[in-house]
DNA sequence: ATTATATTTGCCAAATAATGTCAAGACAAA
DNA sequence: TTTGTCTTGACATTATTTGGCAAATATAAT
């Protein structure tokens, strides 16, 4: 049930010794909700991720990456062909990049 | 807006010359809804995918794979770090497999 | 051209999932 | 014990997804 994203922001927050209350306020949500985000019981919204990156002073790309990875993992984790699914997606992304490079 | 899954089932259906109406009936949905699934405007439910695999006589794993890939693609397509997200997920899946293999 | 069949579109309704709050409890430090 | 922090569960709210209906548009055949 825990997420890479949740663990990451918890670690960062503890390193900086910031209380949940403070980050929750910045995100304009209840501390209960913030707590659940750290524990992976709720998913942060995308805008919230970037706000957190600022406050925790990390590259927002890094957090977005972990946050997205959690979402993808939820979709494919239970599927037998998980790895192949990733290959199909990767292939499609390459194709798209080729196409936009042409233009 | 079109999906790999939708294109695939449309192609298969046309090859077999089956009307949408017939597949829609098997899925117990409106032909309009079925039409949208082929066009990628609606997402089939997981159970519907396996029913379609039967009717279209293809391996359900194959269809599930394309169907999942569409979902994953939706999540990461707009993200700058799409490829890296896939790597993070792939890494996590490998880790999970190791863990379950140990037991 | 007219009819019949198949597909598509737009809009609304129902169902489901995601996000959030509140209140109460657990836990630790002072 | 009091204070501040964190956690949990039940419930409320909101957003998203899925489906139906009716009308429009193809597509075929006659």
């Amino acid at each position: 049930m825990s997420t890479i994203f949740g663990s990451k922001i918890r670690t960062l927050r503890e390193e900086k010794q910031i209380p949940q209350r403070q980050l929750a306020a910045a995100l304009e949500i209840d501390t209960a909700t913030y707590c659940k985000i750290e524990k992976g019981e709720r998913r942060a919204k995308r805008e919230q991720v970037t706000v957190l990156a600022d406050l925790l002073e990390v590259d927002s790309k890094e957090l977005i990456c972990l946050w997205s990875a959690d979402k993808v993992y939820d979709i494919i984790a239970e599927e037998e062909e998980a790895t192949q699914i990733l290959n199909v997606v990767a292939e499609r992304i390459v194709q798209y990049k080729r196409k936009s490079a042409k233009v």
Side-chain angles (χ1 to χ4, degrees), chain A residues 86-101:
Chain A
L86 294 182
N87 288 336
V88 171
V89 178
E91 172 64 22
R92 187 165 170 195
I93 287 176
V94 169
Q95 281 177 359
Y96 176 73
K97 280 189 183 157
R98 268 203 211 107
K99 214 168 114 187
S100 39

Side-chain angles (χ1 to χ4, degrees), chain A residues 4-16 18 20 23 34-39 56:
Chain A
I4 317 181
F5 176 77
S7 313
K8 182 67 178 183
I9 60 173
R10 165 154 299 184
T11 302
L12 291 170
R13 181 179 63 79
E14 286 172 346
E15 278 171 11
K16 292 193 166 294
I18 305 172
Q20 290 185 344
L23 297 181
Y34 179 83
C35 174
K36 286 168 191 167
I37 290 173
E38 275 193 358
K39 306 199 86 191
L56 297 171

Side-chain angles (χ1 to χ4, degrees), chain A residues 18-47:
Chain A
I18 305 172
Q20 290 185 344
R21 175 179 44 75
Q22 197 171 316
L23 297 181
L27 301 181
E28 299 180 275
I29 56 177
D30 194 298
T31 65
T33 305
Y34 179 83
C35 174
K36 286 168 191 167
I37 290 173
E38 275 193 358
K39 306 199 86 191
E41 288 161 26
R42 286 288 185 286
R43 185 129 39 211
K45 293 182 180 172
R46 200 181 188 289
E47 323 89 65

